Amino acid sequence: QVQLAESGGGLVQAGGSLRLSCAASGRTFSNYATAWFRQRPGTEREFVAGTTKSGHMTSYAEFVKGRFTISRDNARSTTYLQMNSLKPEDSAVYYCAAEQGGAIIVPTEYDHWGQGTQVTISS
């Protein structure tokens, strides 16, 4: 089973940037599609961005298109989320997820999850 560990969260001002990292261990990272989800207070967890196991295909939620970029480095077993032009409504716990497969399209469901990292955007 793959284990995931997020890092890079923190407190930034609106308009700023953060880069989240998710380091994987335990299984061959390149066999897994990866994604980022978030959960804001009082809401359900929602999809933010995802990538196929090669990194060639990506998918984004409408509310982050043009601001966030997902990428991965299979040699480092790490996936990233670059977040720019951050807004207070982006404040949430961000979770990394992985799903075996995902060669052609970004999966919609994931079996493996990290513990999450808090992102807080001040206005």
Side-chain angles (χ1 to χ4, degrees):
Q1 179 166 329
V2 65
Q3 287 85 42
L4 305 171
E6 302 96 335
S7 61
L11 171 65
V12 298
Q13 289 188 328
S17 298
L18 278 174
R19 188 175 82 153
L20 305 183
S21 298
C22 173
S25 61
R27 287 290 186 266
T28 303
F29 181 68
S30 59
N31 288 340
Y32 290 80
T34 55
W36 290 92
F37 288 72
R38 72 184 188 187
Q39 187 166 20
R40 295 178 291 171
T43 69
E44 294 186 354
R45 190 157 53 187
E46 59 186 353
F47 174 83
V48 174
T51 180
T52 52
K53 60 182 184 179
S54 68
H56 291 162
M57 296 295 294
T58 58
S59 176
Y60 294 93
E62 283 296 325
F63 54 79
V64 302
K65 279 185 179 178
R67 300 189 299 126
F68 292 10
T69 303
I70 188 170
S71 62
R72 60 189 290 157
D73 183 339
N74 284 350
R76 297 179 182 271
S77 298
T78 302
T79 192
Y80 304 97
L81 185 68
Q82 178 66 45
M83 305 187 295
N84 299 329
S85 302
L86 284 162
K87 306 174 182 180
E89 53 264 41
D90 293 319
S91 297
V93 177
Y94 282 72
Y95 296 91
C96 178
E99 178 68 12
Q100 196 165 8
I104 306 298
I105 61 172
V106 177
T108 56
E109 296 187 359
Y110 293 80
D111 286 334
H112 308 284
W113 295 86
Q115 294 298 306
T117 185
Q118 177 71 49
V119 171
T120 303
I121 312 303
S122 63
S123 57

